[in-house]
Amino acid sequence: VKLFEKVGRVFSDALRFATRRPRRTAALRARADIGTYVNRIISDAVLFNELPSPTEKEEVRCNFILRRLTEFGYTEVAVDEHGNVSVIVPASGESVQYVLVFADIRCEEYSPAESLARLEKERVVGRGIAENSLGVSGLLVLAEYLIKNQIQLGLNLVLLFTSFDPGAQETQPLEHFLRGWAARLAFGVNVRGLGLGRVEERPMGTYKLVVTARTPERQVLGTEPGASAITVLANVAHRLGSIRWDSQNDTFLNVARIQAGVGFGWYAAEGVMELEIFSANRDALEMTRKAVGATIANLAAEAGASAEITVKTFFPTGNAEMNTGLNRALQGIQARLKIKSLPVSLPDHSAVLNSLGLPAVSVGIATGRKSFREEYVDIRPIEAGFRQLFSFLEESTRERAGGHA
Amino acid sequence: VKEESPIIANTFHHSEFADTGKLVEQKERQGVTISLAFPTLNEEATLGKEILVLKTELMDRFPLLNEIAVIDSGSTDRTREVAADNGARVFSSRDILRSHGTYRGKGENLWKSLYVLSGDLIVWIDADISNIGPQFVTGLVGPLLRDTRICYVKAFYERPLRAAGELAPSGGGRVTEILVRPLFSLFYPELAYLIQPLSGEYAGRRSVLERLPFSVGYGVEIGHLIDVYHGFGVGALAQVNMDSRVHRNQSVHALGRMAFGILHTFFHRLETYGGARQLRDLGRMHITVSAVDSRHEVSLTEITAEERPPMVELEEYRKKFGAARPG
């Protein structure tokens, strides 16, 4: 009986999409009112942004997504033991291939006060809103848009809400998900809040490292010799900055932040430095990380200090060649929608798919800013961003479906 | 000590009413309409978000609300523009029922809103909530749709204060704990079971609200509770836990003015219902004295103690809504 119920639910979702008017009419009609979905994207981003994160398997955020998808009318929403929430939107034809469309639901910078978003005339302001919540709400509203307008695309879609623990040493939930799905996927799309118009032409692998230096406590007017944490970190920054990391100049190091000090009258006994290493070459990235670690350890030891290095974020190196077709398609749509294309080299979750031999791109749906002090998204471009996402999926799945036929 | 109270029996959590689709079904089955109104005075910072979220969720996605309106007391910031931009109907309090004059105060806005709103169920929500969500509406209308005996529903919540980029616990409403709860315990112990009797979020049936007098100022909430208690019984009251409401902190002086207005209304109700007799007129001025360097600064603030009559007593209202004059 349970098996029949399950099969029934799967067919129910498929039927919901299948027993309709011709899909092109639905798609054309829907495209006309895509703008009415902008407020839903903003509203969901605001509500989602207020949910605490990180939490164990992001349970609170997963429950929000689960409830939303059920409200939209999806009857077969899957939740796995790693906290991945997914739903399938069946293709219009007989396709056996799927496109993975995913967003990251975890927010490292959530703050109970600063993540309460503020709506201004032209922008939405709040910690986490741009980098994190807008991408999630964009994907949620895409799910709503497809089912409400009865739209089916050339290939099946798997809409996935997953989380990336940037400092995790163990396997990420997305990688767990891909173990069961990679063989059925044609390509992947990472939906992001920021980055409208960006085209990741050279997806760089990235390490963000946190270096904590400690020195013995010393008074400024004391007689004991030794270095302060400030001197140690400044020396490390200076030395690392002068190193050329590979012969092709494909690897870069950036000292993003240095903070140290205890109070007046005392030398700083503890300091923190944040470093980023970027590389378009996977081996060079790993080699550089090891070399940076060794250099820091040596310099700290020479100064009589201790240094502890932790990985704050890791993004694998992507495969630019593999993504060329998708990037061209994305640029074509951007040109048509009058969205200015901006080729960039940035770290990207979609590189995880490249490492499995799958093309993947990131699609940003808004402009805005994330800085140390504030984070916001501009409201006006969201409509174009959402239209871009839908058009990209529609055209690239149609092309692939045609190719396979 | 354990005591039974109808209010405790009518105490809910908003999650009991989280299925918005089900609420819409109940609403349609009962053939009722629901209006949401925000009384405002210079609330541009939070109002836009409140309207956008509630309109998107409870009008566009789920047709639970029939209208969202703002009743403004004469804001000097962009409150009215923000409200209109986000799709609310905007009214200036002074333009409603002009022949009856105008007072400045939240109670005045609520009273006048009854004339311009069309709903059978009315929801009022303060416009300064930083963590707005659909639960502030679904939680309030849920009990009204579920149980026809319930006529008036109040919200309660934790009230962390937003200060210096952090949320800090506030320890509950100060005016409630120091003034209102002791008064209720003395004169209306049944009402002392209300956790936040002064909360600014509540909903009621038009058929009840139109029969209540409205204090135009700070006393509107306490006046309603006592009037509903006397007119419809304590079982007509319910309260709903909204978990948390993030808001601005108010100064002690502002709370003092609020307490003054509440006491005015409370004493007036005691007299009306025979709970106590006033032997002299109450003062109209709230007096504060503060030490500034070596001087003392005295400040007198007039707090309006005006009361609006039950809306159903107005001929214009009866004509518009086909209501009967109270017997």
Side-chain angles (χ1 to χ4, degrees):
Chain A
V1 171
K2 275 187 181 165
L3 179 66
F4 274 118
E5 279 176 356
K6 188 172 171 60
V7 170
R9 282 201 302 275
V10 173
F11 274 106
S12 161
D13 271 357
L15 276 173
R16 194 179 297 274
F17 284 97
T19 55
R20 329 247 167 205
R21 300 178 202 189
R23 69 181 193 278
R24 286 192 67 73
T25 314
L28 286 171
R29 196 180 62 245
R31 233 176 273 137
D33 73 355
I34 209 165
T36 61
Y37 284 79
V38 171
N39 279 356
R40 299 182 190 206
I41 295 174
I42 297 170
S43 175
D44 275 353
V46 164
L47 294 173
F48 188 78
N49 206 54
E50 294 174 3
L51 303 175
S53 177
T55 60
E56 179 69 20
K57 292 183 186 169
E58 297 298 333
E59 206 171 324
V60 181
R61 291 186 161 210
C62 283
N63 284 341
F64 178 91
I65 291 160
L66 190 58
R67 187 168 60 82
R68 268 278 180 267
L69 292 171
T70 309
E71 284 171 352
F72 296 158
Y74 289 94
T75 51
E76 189 71 3
V77 183
V79 185
D80 70 18
E81 70 268 35
H82 306 288
N84 290 307
V85 182
S86 62
V87 74
I88 291 168
V89 179
S92 53
E94 298 295 312
S95 177
V96 292
Q97 282 208 301
Y98 290 79
V99 175
L100 179 70
V101 191
F102 65 101
D104 180 9
I105 67 172
R106 179 180 168 113
C107 181
E108 286 294 314
E109 291 161 31
Y110 167 82
S111 139
E114 301 304 320
S115 294
L116 292 174
R118 199 171 72 242
L119 183 67
E120 296 181 352
K121 192 175 166 80
E122 312 236 316
R123 48 191 212 172
V124 192
V125 185
R127 185 58 65 196
I129 196 88
E131 191 64 56
N132 183 256
S133 297
L134 196 79
V136 176
S137 69
L139 183 54
L140 264 178
V141 175
L142 176 71
E144 181 180 22
Y145 179 69
L146 293 173
I147 198 165
K148 297 288 179 210
N149 292 289
Q150 307 162 2
I151 296 169
Q152 293 171 275
L153 303 181
L155 302 182
N156 304 295
L157 303 183
V158 197
L159 310 184
L160 171 68
F161 300 85
T162 188
S163 57
F164 291 86
D165 179 351
Q169 301 301 310
E170 68 269 25
T171 312
Q172 300 280 3
L174 174 63
E175 293 169 278
H176 281 289
F177 187 85
L178 287 170
R179 281 178 191 164
W181 274 93
R184 287 175 279 174
L185 296 178
F187 62 91
V189 178
N190 176 20
V191 182
R192 297 177 61 163
L194 287 184
L196 175 63
R198 280 187 199 159
V199 180
E200 314 270 357
E201 288 201 333
R202 249 173 119 213
M204 304 284 263
T206 303
Y207 273 108
K208 286 187 185 170
L209 305 176
V210 180
V211 182
T212 308
R214 291 187 184 87
T215 56
E217 289 186 358
R218 280 190 311 127
Q219 279 189 296
V220 175
L221 299 179
T223 52
E224 302 150 57
S228 83
I230 291 176
T231 323
V232 172
L233 291 176
N235 189 28
V236 167
H238 177 70
R239 291 283 288 275
L240 292 176
S242 62
I243 297 172
R244 187 174 172 187
W245 297 98
D246 66 14
S247 53
Q248 275 82 39
N249 227 8
D250 264 353
T251 305
F252 308 91
L253 183 138
N254 172 41
V255 178
R257 191 165 75 96
I258 296 180
Q259 193 173 11
V262 278
F264 294 105
W266 291 82
Y267 285 114
E270 185 169 317
V272 175
M273 176 165 68
E274 293 190 4
L275 299 171
E276 297 171 297
I277 308 166
F278 302 96
S279 183
N281 180 309
R282 185 174 308 177
D283 295 336
L285 179 70
E286 284 305 323
M287 204 172 66
T288 306
R289 181 177 72 90
K290 286 178 187 157
V292 165
T295 308
I296 292 170
N298 286 341
L299 291 172
E302 278 172 22
S306 71
E308 183 187 317
I309 304 170
T310 52
V311 177
K312 187 178 176 189
T313 310
F314 169 67
F315 289 97
T317 306
N319 185 325
E321 206 176 318
M322 196 183 283
N323 301 335
T324 307
L326 291 177
N327 278 338
R328 279 204 193 122
L330 185 59
Q331 280 171 314
I333 287 158
Q334 288 171 345
R336 221 171 47 236
L337 294 174
K338 297 188 170 34
I339 296 168
K340 192 177 172 190
S341 288
L342 181 67
V344 290
S345 298
L346 285 170
D348 196 327
H349 293 315
S350 58
V352 175
L353 275 81
N354 288 169
S355 63
L356 296 171
L358 293 165
V361 289
S362 279
V363 177
I365 60 170
T367 56
R369 186 161 187 244
K370 181 186 176 187
S371 72
F372 198 59
R373 290 191 175 275
E374 68 171 356
E375 186 170 343
Y376 66 83
V377 285
D378 299 312
I379 292 172
R380 194 183 293 265
I382 294 174
E383 181 178 341
F386 189 58
R387 206 177 282 278
Q388 171 204 232
L389 173 65
F390 174 68
S391 300
F392 175 68
L393 288 170
E394 188 184 36
E395 291 183 22
S396 46
T397 56
R398 187 194 308 144
E399 194 179 297
R400 298 262 171 161
H404 282 278
Chain B
V1 178
K2 261 190 168 177
E3 289 223 28
E4 292 302 318
S5 159
I7 290 181
I8 296 297
N10 282 349
T11 298
F12 307 99
H13 188 269
H14 71 80
S15 60
E16 294 176 57
F17 309 102
D19 186 343
T20 317
K22 195 172 162 191
L23 293 179
V24 172
E25 277 173 30
Q26 289 174 329
K27 172 197 161 188
E28 284 168 357
R29 207 168 42 242
Q30 293 171 27
V32 294
T33 52
I34 305 175
S35 300
L36 165 65
F38 296 94
T40 58
L41 177 64
N42 296 329
E43 301 288 2
E44 65 172 10
T46 44
L47 182 64
K49 176 176 144 182
E50 290 198 35
I51 296 172
L52 182 128
V53 167
L54 296 179
K55 183 172 181 296
T56 301
E57 192 67 13
L58 303 175
M59 286 182 85
D60 301 344
R61 273 193 174 128
F62 295 96
L64 184 68
L65 293 174
N66 295 81
E67 63 179 334
I68 296 180
V70 163
I71 318 292
D72 188 62
S73 295
S75 295
T76 51
D77 65 2
R78 292 178 56 250
T79 294
R80 285 191 293 264
E81 188 189 335
V82 165
D85 284 353
N86 285 288
R89 298 171 68 202
V90 182
F91 299 93
S92 180
S93 182
R94 100 182 84 170
D95 294 337
I96 303 170
L97 294 167
R98 286 188 86 104
S99 60
H100 293 266
T102 195
Y103 296 102
R104 196 159 162 155
K106 179 183 171 183
E108 173 81 351
N109 289 13
L110 302 185
W111 182 72
K112 287 191 167 176
S113 74
L114 285 178
Y115 186 75
V116 292
L117 298 174
S118 60
D120 303 303
L121 307 181
I122 310 286
V123 186
W124 288 307
I125 290 187
D126 278 351
D128 67 341
I129 304 176
S130 298
N131 63 328
I132 192 67
Q135 73 275 14
F136 280 93
V137 174
T138 55
L140 289 172
V141 300
L144 295 170
L145 290 171
R146 183 192 281 181
D147 186 343
T148 52
R149 289 168 300 182
I150 294 172
C151 299
Y152 193 93
V153 185
K154 299 246 12 159
F156 71 91
Y157 26 64
E158 289 290 315
R159 306 198 317 161
L161 299 173
R162 190 176 187 166
E166 298 289 333
L167 294 183
S170 69
R174 286 164 284 179
V175 178
T176 293
E177 298 308 328
I178 293 167
L179 179 72
V180 175
R181 200 173 302 290
L183 284 175
F184 276 165
S185 301
L186 287 167
F187 293 95
Y188 292 103
E190 299 93 328
L191 297 180
Y193 291 91
L194 288 163
I195 294 168
Q196 264 152 9
L198 301 181
S199 70
E201 293 71 38
Y202 37 103
R205 298 184 190 282
R206 176 182 288 276
S207 56
V208 168
L209 299 173
E210 68 187 8
R211 283 160 202 281
L212 304 179
F214 279 59
S215 294
V216 301
Y218 296 111
V220 63
E221 281 92 9
I222 200 164
H224 277 183
L225 292 173
I226 296 170
D227 293 332
V228 171
Y229 169 77
H230 280 288
F232 303 90
V234 70
L237 293 166
Q239 57 185 346
V240 181
N241 186 349
M242 301 292 176
D243 286 336
S244 163
R245 180 201 194 282
V246 182
H247 66 115
R248 294 186 304 259
N249 196 9
Q250 293 214 57
S251 70
V252 171
H253 283 309
L255 296 181
R257 290 192 293 273
M258 183 192 288
F260 181 93
I262 287 169
L263 280 170
H264 245 288
T265 303
F266 191 82
F267 288 138
H268 185 253
R269 292 296 186 278
L270 283 182
E271 183 96 32
T272 304
Y273 295 113
R277 194 157 65 86
Q278 278 172 220
L279 299 177
R280 53 175 292 188
D281 288 342
L282 300 176
R284 291 187 71 85
M285 293 289 186
H286 178 241
I287 304 163
T288 55
V289 186
S290 27
V292 181
D293 299 327
S294 55
R295 297 176 295 112
H296 288 101
E297 220 169 69
V298 177
S299 142
L300 302 180
T301 313
E302 183 167 0
I303 310 278
T304 181
E306 296 297 333
E307 292 249 341
R308 289 295 198 175
M311 189 55 93
V312 75
E313 290 180 7
L314 270 61
E315 195 182 337
E316 302 97 308
Y317 179 85
R318 290 200 301 277
K319 211 165 156 187
K320 183 173 177 185
F321 289 92
R325 183 188 281 277

